[in-house]
Amino acid sequence: MRVSRRAVAVRVEGIVQGVGFRPFVYGLATRLGLGGLVGNDERGVFIEVEGGSARIEEFLAALTGDPPPLAVIERISTGPAPVTGRSTFVIVPSTARGDRRALVSPDVATCDACLRDLTDPAGRRRGYAFTNCTCCGPRFTIVRDVPYDRANTTMAGFRMCPDCAREYHDPADRRFHAQPVCCSACGPSLRFVGPGDPEEDPLERAVRLLREGGVLAVKGLGGYHLAAPAADEAAVAALRSRKHREDKPFAVMAGDLAAARRLCAIDPAEERLLTSPARPVVLLRRLPDAAVAPSVAPGNRWLGVLLPYTPLHHLLLRSLAQPTVLTSGNVSDEPIAYRDEDALERLAGIADAFLTHDRPIHIRTDDSVVRVFRGRDLPIRRSRGYVPHPLPLARAAPRPVLACGAELKHTFCLVKDDRAIVSHHIGDLENYETLRSFIEGVEHFRRLFDVVPEVIAHDLHPEYLSTKWALDQDADLVGVQHHHAHIASCLADNGAAGPVAGVAFDGLGYGADGTLWGGEFLVADLAGFERAGHLAPVPMPGGATAIRQPWRMAAAYLDLAYDGDVPEDLDVVRRNAGRWAAVVALARRGGNAPLTSSMGRLFDAVAAVAGVRDTITYEGQAAVEFEQLADPEVDDAYPCDLVDEGPGFAVPGAELVRAAADDLRAGVPREVVAARFHNAVAGIVAAGCARIREATGLTTVALSGGVFQNLLLLGRAVPLLEERGFTVLTHHRVPPNDGGVSLGQAAVAAARDAG
Ligand code: ZN
Ligand code: ZN
Ligand code: FE
């Protein structure tokens, strides 16, 4: 019987370079006895296979059914190829021309095979801190340019030794074309900068310093970290005071999953996330008897935990044999240090010593932070391990878009066709250094992804540095209202286009009417929105000062709630008696007391009334602590009826403040007050959406804005909406906070450009 012979050309697009795709194809084709070729080009991977029909079908099925773990196939197309009688399969050299559609992979945590290399007594990489392969290692943080080749990475300066070169060129090897491949003979090496014997092994010196309670600066993938033993209160307290970080929790690196389980309760979804190739910091419920110093996360029931993601971390944690605080290497709000000279200078006053190395970091990239909500990811910060993985848009953009993001937790976003690439976390765009990171980041992304933006989207806030920069650019500008961007971000996150009932609750954003919004009910799709309802505006006495001093919001709200006659026996009044009258007068008079409908400020007010805190040291602190205070067993809620207002409605937030204050005066425990307030806000979300459904028939709700990082609120609001028959969209790929705003802006600009 004659076997019919044919040949097929295959094109694979997505994340298919630097992830072991060609060796996979080579192995598959060779196993099936097919001839042909595979290669990389600017669009991804191209393949030609030739042989029996059945074998070719088998090949195509395995290609999509069982690709390498890190590959993300976005598109596969097949077509005919000439039958030339090829019987062997070859890997052909990369080409570099045309458009640069091949995608750069995010950084990937050390794989199991490389971990085994680290401990293999007979292997070449035993104890070598920079071991990596096609399946793992640095990517985004070391790429200077495309195509993704060693010469275009920060590994360019390291010449491969013959052994590494053999692995690199062997299609059957795990390190075939692994651009950062190296070993102790040819690759980067560790250096210890600090007191002690310079002849001694750097890693051993570092471990001893930590054991003795020192603070160590460690160079990681995307920047420097500061480390201190997590159980050592003196060391952690020293780190806190030297870093000028008063209360904001530190993350802890545990050596492995078992060590993490001794600190926190971990469910299967959290375990999956902790051990995923992205290795984010996962916010977990701390165990009551966890051996963690009080200063790690003061007064916090949650603990940010991450597992080692580089060989250096594995070696360090293995020798140390105890969890260590691992926090960004910076002073309070500055960006994380990532250049060596700069780090040595800036961190000199914080770290007792440095564990560093000579592989440069090209792009500063912070650790990502994720929570789990109902078994799915809820990103808080999307950066290392996720960026620059593209997010698909429901509709392709007619022209390339750059979205400039917001101000705090800044990211930007580039769109080409139906792909949105959200940048790494830039930080709070409030100073020259972060502004420079933003501008350089845009340049870098434009090169990497070969995008020349023709449309630039920006926030409406005239004072944001990102807005000012956008207005200077030579492109078509699209101003996007902040809360519309939040809702569009949630839509894009879910591959949806709307229209929906959008609930955008956050700290502050510039409203379409020039006032400060933040407790918004919108009827929105990607292109536009209408404001259907909002929290009733209240004055913010002292403007931005009221953000740092939640008791001022309590004063403004209580003055409204009690109609000017605030009971003097309230603790918050007593604690702030000296300045109370002046702040109330400021609130009444106006002037430096802009009106806001912000839900974040309402949380601040009630938190202050409940005695959580009068002043904060980091953004959202009062709300974070208020969430933790609440007793999850309490189911009842403060009543709050929506008030008709023209075509829409207003939410009388002062009624909630009054109910909370009355409860406290009657001796109701703060934990109960906190719970009743959270339940009331969930009820308001459901009531507002029901109003929108009556008017519009919309049955899908999108929840966005920083307030929805609150798991207690989400956990109450989502079931309530679902009970009432709504479909609820929440965030899974970008944060609900301002870190997700750039994606929303981009989706809006693309939709408007499409007409
Ligand atoms: Zn590996
Ligand atoms: Zn080598
Ligand atoms: Fe916001």
Side-chain angles (χ1 to χ4, degrees), residues 112-471:
D112 290 344
C114 284
L115 262 186
R116 282 192 293 274
D117 287 348
L118 279 188
T119 50
D120 177 4
R124 295 201 295 122
R125 294 186 175 85
R126 180 161 177 246
Y128 183 54
F130 303 92
T131 300
N132 66 77
C133 73
T134 329
C135 297
C136 75
R139 297 286 189 278
F140 173 66
T141 51
I142 62 165
V143 171
R144 290 193 170 117
D145 203 353
V146 283
Y148 175 62
D149 278 327
R150 190 181 183 98
N152 285 327
T153 72
T154 63
M155 283 297 291
F158 298 95
R159 209 190 146 91
M160 272 183 231
C161 70
D163 286 333
C164 286
R166 200 174 312 117
E167 293 168 333
Y168 181 89
H169 291 293
D170 176 3
D173 195 276
R174 201 174 98 234
R175 296 192 164 90
F176 176 69
H177 282 202
Q179 303 306 337
V181 71
C182 58
C183 70
S184 55
C186 65
S189 51
L190 288 176
R191 188 161 70 99
F192 183 88
V193 183
D197 175 8
E199 294 301 304
E200 202 189 345
D201 177 65
L203 199 67
E204 280 167 26
R205 291 172 76 185
V207 168
R208 200 173 56 242
L209 180 101
L210 285 172
R211 284 231 178 89
E212 288 166 358
V215 172
L216 180 72
V218 187
K219 186 174 178 183
L221 272 185
Y224 278 77
H225 284 110
L226 291 160
D232 184 336
E233 174 59 21
V236 179
L239 170 56
R240 214 171 250 297
S241 76
R242 292 184 209 165
K243 210 172 129 72
H244 301 298
R245 179 145 141 169
E246 289 167 61
D247 307 300
K248 199 172 179 186
F250 288 142
V252 170
M253 181 175 272
D256 54 25
L257 199 56
R261 286 195 195 285
R262 289 193 284 276
L263 302 175
C264 294
I266 301 171
D267 71 21
E270 290 162 341
E271 176 182 330
R272 172 189 51 73
L273 198 51
L274 266 179
T275 56
S276 69
R279 292 287 153 101
V281 175
V282 183
L283 298 186
L284 301 168
R285 278 181 188 78
R286 191 207 297 218
L287 296 175
D289 57 348
V292 172
S295 287
V296 171
N300 211 309
R301 288 190 212 170
W302 295 79
L303 189 63
V305 177
L306 77 169
L307 296 181
Y309 56 85
T310 67
L312 177 56
H313 293 148
H314 282 286
L315 295 168
L316 192 64
L317 270 285
R318 209 170 278 168
S319 302
L320 191 63
Q322 54 177 303
T324 172
V325 162
L326 205 66
T327 185
S328 46
N330 56 9
V331 178
S332 92
D333 294 330
E334 289 176 7
I336 183 169
Y338 72 111
R339 290 196 172 101
D340 298 324
E341 323 77 65
D342 177 55
L344 288 171
E345 193 184 305
R346 276 167 59 197
L347 304 181
I350 305 177
D352 297 305
F354 291 75
L355 183 59
T356 181
H357 60 75
D358 52 353
R359 185 181 70 205
I361 298 169
H362 187 67
I363 278 274
R364 170 205 342 263
T365 314
D366 293 75
D367 289 324
S368 297
V369 182
V370 186
R371 294 184 100 164
V372 171
F373 175 63
R374 301 215 294 187
R376 295 181 69 187
D377 298 7
L378 174 66
I380 303 298
R381 180 165 70 205
R382 181 184 182 273
S383 208
R384 180 197 44 80
Y386 295 93
V387 174
H389 190 92
L391 304 172
L393 288 181
R395 271 178 85 176
R399 293 184 290 167
V401 177
L402 165 65
C404 297
E407 174 113 317
L408 301 178
K409 303 178 170 67
H410 181 266
T411 62
F412 61 87
C413 176
L414 276 181
V415 176
K416 190 176 179 186
D417 304 327
D418 59 351
R419 275 202 290 231
I421 298 167
V422 179
S423 78
H424 51 303
H425 168 83
I426 304 279
D428 295 346
L429 211 55
E430 295 177 317
N431 55 49
Y432 175 72
E433 189 164 7
T434 42
L435 179 66
R436 203 183 55 188
S437 301
F438 161 54
I439 295 166
E440 288 173 358
V442 168
E443 245 350 277
H444 186 53
F445 273 59
R446 282 177 53 162
R447 280 176 67 79
L448 281 191
F449 305 109
D450 196 26
V451 179
V452 180
E454 292 173 39
V455 179
I456 293 187
H458 62 86
D459 198 276
L460 296 181
H461 202 306
E463 293 305 316
Y464 283 1
L465 291 180
S466 57
T467 305
K468 291 180 173 172
W469 182 84
L471 297 178

Side-chain angles (χ1 to χ4, degrees), residues 360-696:
I361 298 169
H362 187 67
I363 278 274
R364 170 205 342 263
T365 314
D366 293 75
D367 289 324
S368 297
V369 182
V370 186
R371 294 184 100 164
V372 171
F373 175 63
R374 301 215 294 187
R376 295 181 69 187
D377 298 7
L378 174 66
I380 303 298
R381 180 165 70 205
R382 181 184 182 273
S383 208
R384 180 197 44 80
Y386 295 93
V387 174
H389 190 92
L391 304 172
L393 288 181
R395 271 178 85 176
R399 293 184 290 167
V401 177
L402 165 65
C404 297
E407 174 113 317
L408 301 178
K409 303 178 170 67
H410 181 266
T411 62
F412 61 87
C413 176
L414 276 181
V415 176
K416 190 176 179 186
D417 304 327
D418 59 351
R419 275 202 290 231
I421 298 167
V422 179
S423 78
H424 51 303
H425 168 83
I426 304 279
D428 295 346
L429 211 55
E430 295 177 317
N431 55 49
Y432 175 72
E433 189 164 7
T434 42
L435 179 66
R436 203 183 55 188
S437 301
F438 161 54
I439 295 166
E440 288 173 358
V442 168
E443 245 350 277
H444 186 53
F445 273 59
R446 282 177 53 162
R447 280 176 67 79
L448 281 191
F449 305 109
D450 196 26
V451 179
V452 180
E454 292 173 39
V455 179
I456 293 187
H458 62 86
D459 198 276
L460 296 181
H461 202 306
E463 293 305 316
Y464 283 1
L465 291 180
S466 57
T467 305
K468 291 180 173 172
W469 182 84
L471 297 178
D472 264 351
Q473 304 307 306
D474 184 22
D476 287 350
L477 295 174
V478 179
V480 183
Q481 198 278 323
H482 187 87
H483 302 95
H484 181 212
H486 271 305
I487 299 304
S489 167
C490 186
L491 289 174
D493 191 320
N494 287 277
V500 289
V503 185
F505 286 175
D506 69 353
L508 289 176
Y510 199 80
D513 59 3
T515 70
L516 298 169
W517 291 8
E520 310 306 312
F521 289 85
L522 310 179
V523 172
D525 61 13
L526 291 177
F529 76 99
E530 270 174 43
R531 196 185 193 199
H534 56 86
L535 201 55
V538 294
M540 261 171 58
T545 311
I547 298 174
R548 293 187 295 274
Q549 299 182 5
W551 75 269
R552 287 173 175 252
M553 290 313 301
Y557 262 114
L558 286 167
D559 189 48
L560 288 172
Y562 287 97
D563 207 11
D565 194 15
V566 181
E568 285 170 12
D569 59 354
L570 272 170
D571 278 345
V572 68
V573 182
R574 275 199 282 226
R575 286 195 308 269
N576 299 286
R579 293 177 295 175
W580 192 270
V583 164
V584 169
L586 180 60
R588 287 185 193 163
R589 194 171 61 234
N592 188 20
L595 289 176
T596 182
S597 57
S598 161
M599 182 56 79
R601 298 290 86 77
L602 176 60
F603 266 83
D604 280 357
V606 184
V609 170
V612 168
R613 54 176 52 252
D614 291 332
T615 61
I616 59 167
T617 64
Y618 65 90
E619 198 219 350
Q621 184 179 10
V624 166
E625 294 176 358
F626 198 45
E627 173 189 354
Q628 304 200 38
L629 177 67
D631 179 351
E633 304 295 314
V634 173
D635 288 326
D636 58 332
Y638 296 129
C640 182
D641 292 325
L642 307 181
V643 179
D644 280 316
E645 196 187 64
F649 60 90
V651 179
E655 285 183 14
L656 298 182
V657 180
R658 166 105 194 210
D662 285 347
D663 258 1
L664 290 162
R665 293 180 72 215
V668 175
R670 302 155 70 218
E671 292 77 8
V672 175
V673 170
R676 286 177 176 165
F677 173 75
H678 276 82
N679 297 342
V681 175
I684 288 165
V685 170
C689 292
R691 280 280 295 247
I692 292 175
R693 180 166 59 188
E694 279 165 33
T696 63

Side-chain angles (χ1 to χ4, degrees), residues 699-748:
T699 56
T700 302
V701 171
L703 303 179
S704 191
V707 170
F708 288 108
Q709 294 170 102
N710 183 322
L711 283 195
L712 179 63
L713 175 63
L714 261 190
R716 296 290 152 107
V718 173
L720 212 52
L721 287 162
E722 288 173 346
E723 277 163 27
R724 286 162 170 70
F726 287 103
T727 302
V728 185
L729 306 179
T730 56
H731 283 270
H732 303 292
R733 295 194 277 205
V734 296
N737 61 43
D738 283 5
V741 161
S742 64
L743 176 64
Q745 293 173 341
V748 171

